[in-house]
Amino acid sequence: MPTHEATQPPDTAAAPAGLPSDPTPIHESADPALAAERRHLAESRSALRQMRERTESLEAQGGNAVSTEYLKATLYHRAKALADDPNTPLFFGRLDYGVDARPVDEEPTAGLAERFYIGRRHVSDEDGDPMVVDWRASVSRPFYRATRRDPLGVELRRRFGFAHGSLTAYEDEHLTDPPATDVADGVGTALGSRILEAEIERPRVGPMRDIVATIQPEQDDIVRADLSGTVCVQGAPGTGKTAVGLHRAAFLLYAHRDQLRRQGVLVVGPNDSFLRYIGDVLPALGEIDARQSTLAELVGRTKIRGTDPPHIATLKGDARMAEILRRAVWSHVKEPSEGLVVPRGARRFRVPAYEVSEILAGIRARGVRYGAGRAILPQRLAHAILLRMEADGDSPDDRVQASVARSRPVKAYADELWPAVDPAKLVFRLLSEPEFLAEHADGQLDVAEQVLLRWPTPPRSAGSARWSLADAVLVDEAADLIERTPSLGHVVLDEAQDLSPMQLRAVGRRCSTGSATVLGDLAQATTPWATRDWTDALTHLGKSGAHVEELTKGFRVPASVIEFAARLLPHIAPTLAPPSSVRRTSGDLVINQAAKVLPAALDGVRTALDRPGSVGLVVPDARIRAVRSALDAAGISYAVLGDTDDVDAHLDVVPASLVKGLEFDHVVVLEPAAIVAAEHDEVTGLRRLYVCLTRAVTSLQIVHAEPLPAPLSG
């Protein structure tokens, strides 16, 4: 599979880093193939611009003002989806079907059945013929799936190399060649393509990129899984699970656009820094309809201003709290002590207490939410009154029943038996009133657990309480018991291993009638309440029948780095298969023990800054201030993750607690032992360290004065 490169004019970017140096550079004039592909790229960009201009020129003329505004919004979103970033390749591959597709001048030959350019979105010419086919279309799937053993009808697969939007190289794979020559022409990479490997290793600056050009078959299976099913991805570091989840959302929006535009798609991430990091992926794929949120934003019915100690947060996140809340909500329904009497003119109609009890029991037996039952009760009471009116010779209709249901005696009686419940005030009572908690926690929590759960010094009211995230999740559960939470069509949940059972229930409510893509790694579980088993987690999410897929082939983390970090696995996740790197380059791993760690870390940072790509300095949270002072004194420019929205800084100082899900070309990890010691137990600390060590794409430097944790020191 030879790689063809082109010598660029002085004002254009060079070929992507990582492309082989052995092929002789070919000038554009000497390579008609490259010239033809560049013409197609220019024509495709022109066609995309015309598609956008046609959309922007359309006038929205609905039948009325409302429909006109709706059409305007639709056209605006369509034009926004057709935006073209000149620095992003419009297509990255080509498929040729039919006769042997090896023309000398790259012009279509007589007998060539079909040719498709595969890209990030569909582009058509003025006649409607495709110039670029969306990567999500079924015709594009052979680009990711075809092999010489099973070519799927493809004669030739071509990959393109780009730099800053300019086409710089191409690489051909003739799928009609015998299977024995799968790795041909001395390419010899684990991925089978130097362009593919160069794209994976391309320096990272700014937010996360899409991976449409590098999707592997096992990832493609997950991306294209049917909307009706929930998929759980257990993915080792560097396997691309986050990217797979985002591309699955993009694929589902493409394949089920009308349905999901109505029902909605939600991406849930662990924190704001993570969401900013992944925020450009879906828009780059032309998808702007998916919403992104943290769990705190999702359950933000109360303002979160406080935090809980780990053992109390763990207790509040326990699944037993769901039953306690259910009991507390429904305890407000009272049995009648006397019947209902409703005057109508000169007559009085009475419903005895025993019949009202039967009505209450019938409503509860229907399994409705508390609020729905409260709305039903006046209608059922009014119906009982109407039966008595009919027995008395009247002929009341539905309007009379509605009038009776709204009457003061019926409303007052129903409110007494089935009062309104405020979810925040309910949780406030549970956390501040010992008797109320004891009544509903009987058989669920022992006395010691009840004492832990209660606020030591209860606030004056629910409005003045310093609610924690765990409290907000309880309020969200109570609110769902009262009024059903609307379900979305699909939810992508990342870093799911760090969620408690109650937090999983909160996310599951948002896709109760839809499906989910659950992403995580049990080895990276760093919260005290973290998931230990995907079966249990999926049950709490309400998706017990989900399919679990394990990804172990790493495309991002270099071999030397992942092998070093994997020394921790027997101690933090002994049941998981160890990850492996499929990259040709092993990466750089430097372990530097120094008496003074800050000067040594700054030297490591300077070395990393001299190389292309992003740099992350991962620091124990407690040492952020000292690191900032040292960087300021050294005159090194930086951004601190969590303190700024800047995702384009060359150097990011990253608290160890926020590094999960991020990646950098070069990583410097400061004092691993301190990262471990900061957690509530050693296993969790080693998991946090595992996360920190596996963020590097090219190089990892470890700077320490304290001894390394025992699993790493062997």
Side-chain angles (χ1 to χ4, degrees), residues 37 40-41 44 89-93 117-119 132 160 162 167:
E37 300 295 12
H40 187 80
L41 174 60
S44 298
L90 197 57
F91 56 79
F92 48 82
Y117 286 83
I118 312 302
V132 180
F160 297 105
F162 282 83
L167 198 159

Side-chain angles (χ1 to χ4, degrees), residues 556-567 581 586-590 690 692-701:
R556 174 175 56 78
V557 185
S560 61
V561 173
I562 198 66
E563 289 167 6
F564 180 75
R567 296 181 187 179
S581 178
S586 61
D588 298 331
L589 173 62
V590 176
Y690 181 71
C692 296
L693 295 178
T694 54
R695 302 302 98 197
V697 177
T698 301
S699 72
L700 170 66
Q701 299 181 62

Side-chain angles (χ1 to χ4, degrees), residues 203-554:
R204 284 150 171 75
V205 177
M208 182 180 182
R209 303 192 303 258
D210 66 68
I211 62 166
V212 289
T214 62
I215 293 173
Q216 298 299 294
E218 62 271 24
Q219 297 172 327
D220 188 62
D221 285 338
I222 299 169
V223 167
R224 297 176 190 267
D226 191 76
L227 173 63
S228 61
T230 289
V231 179
C232 175
V233 182
Q234 159 60 44
T239 55
K241 57 184 176 293
T242 296
V244 165
L246 294 173
H247 286 68
R248 175 159 163 71
F251 172 79
L252 293 176
L253 282 164
Y254 172 87
H256 307 275
R257 186 163 304 281
D258 291 341
Q259 176 183 347
L260 291 181
R261 183 169 286 173
R262 293 193 308 271
Q263 298 177 344
V265 173
L266 173 69
V267 178
V268 182
N271 52 58
D272 290 330
S273 296
F274 177 85
L275 291 181
R276 285 194 295 271
Y277 176 64
I278 68 170
D280 286 350
V281 174
L282 288 173
L285 299 173
E287 297 300 343
I288 56 177
D289 291 326
R291 184 166 67 94
Q292 298 182 354
S293 174
T294 63
L295 180 68
E297 292 169 342
L298 211 59
V299 298
R301 299 173 187 270
T302 57
K303 187 174 182 180
I304 299 173
R305 298 185 298 166
T307 57
D308 289 313
H311 63 291
I312 294 178
T314 301
L315 181 59
K316 289 179 179 179
D318 194 293
R320 292 174 294 172
M321 293 301 302
E323 173 60 20
I324 295 170
L325 288 165
R326 188 195 66 79
R327 293 177 183 178
V329 167
W330 286 97
S331 69
H332 290 77
V333 178
K334 304 173 185 176
E335 286 296 319
S337 57
E338 56 186 26
L340 168 65
V341 178
V342 177
R344 295 289 291 181
R347 291 175 294 178
R348 295 164 62 87
F349 298 96
R350 184 174 184 275
V351 181
Y354 77 87
E355 187 174 338
V356 174
S357 293
E358 292 174 353
I359 290 173
L360 293 174
I363 294 174
R364 295 193 62 166
R366 294 175 60 178
V368 297
R369 293 294 200 276
Y370 182 92
R374 174 173 156 78
I376 291 171
L377 179 58
Q379 293 294 331
R380 294 295 303 274
L381 294 173
H383 180 71
I385 296 294
L386 258 66
L387 293 178
R388 283 155 176 76
M389 295 174 67
E390 290 173 349
D392 205 36
D394 287 349
S395 299
D397 56 18
D398 291 345
R399 290 175 297 177
V400 175
Q401 178 172 327
S403 175
V404 172
R406 293 193 303 268
S407 65
R408 182 176 298 176
V410 171
K411 288 180 65 177
Y413 188 80
D415 286 345
E416 177 67 23
L417 299 182
W418 204 305
V421 175
D422 180 272
K425 292 179 180 178
L426 177 85
V427 174
F428 177 82
R429 288 190 65 192
L430 283 173
L431 299 181
S432 58
E433 297 180 16
E435 297 80 7
F436 188 66
L437 176 61
E439 177 186 354
H440 302 301
D442 183 42
Q444 296 293 319
L445 303 179
D446 59 32
V447 174
E449 288 175 319
Q450 292 178 34
V451 172
L452 277 178
L453 193 65
R454 297 197 306 267
W455 282 321
T457 305
R460 295 181 181 179
S461 65
S464 63
R466 294 185 63 83
W467 299 102
S468 67
L469 174 59
D471 297 332
V473 171
L474 297 180
V475 174
D476 190 73
E477 178 85 21
D480 183 70
L481 289 165
I482 298 167
E483 300 290 345
R484 183 183 297 276
T485 303
S487 174
L488 299 161
H490 193 78
V491 170
V492 177
L493 172 61
D494 208 348
E495 303 296 349
Q497 78 279 349
D498 279 338
L499 270 60
S500 70
M502 293 301 291
Q503 291 172 338
L504 287 166
R505 288 175 61 89
V507 176
R509 285 191 282 276
R510 271 73 185 181
C511 57
S512 57
T513 60
S515 58
T517 301
V518 183
L519 311 167
D521 180 9
L522 298 179
Q524 298 184 57
T526 54
T527 56
W529 49 83
T531 293
R532 299 291 181 260
D533 177 80
W534 285 123
T535 300
D536 292 342
L538 291 168
T539 299
H540 294 309
L541 192 70
K543 306 295 181 184
S544 56
H547 170 67
V548 179
E549 189 77 33
E550 187 170 3
L551 298 178
T552 59
K553 293 181 181 179

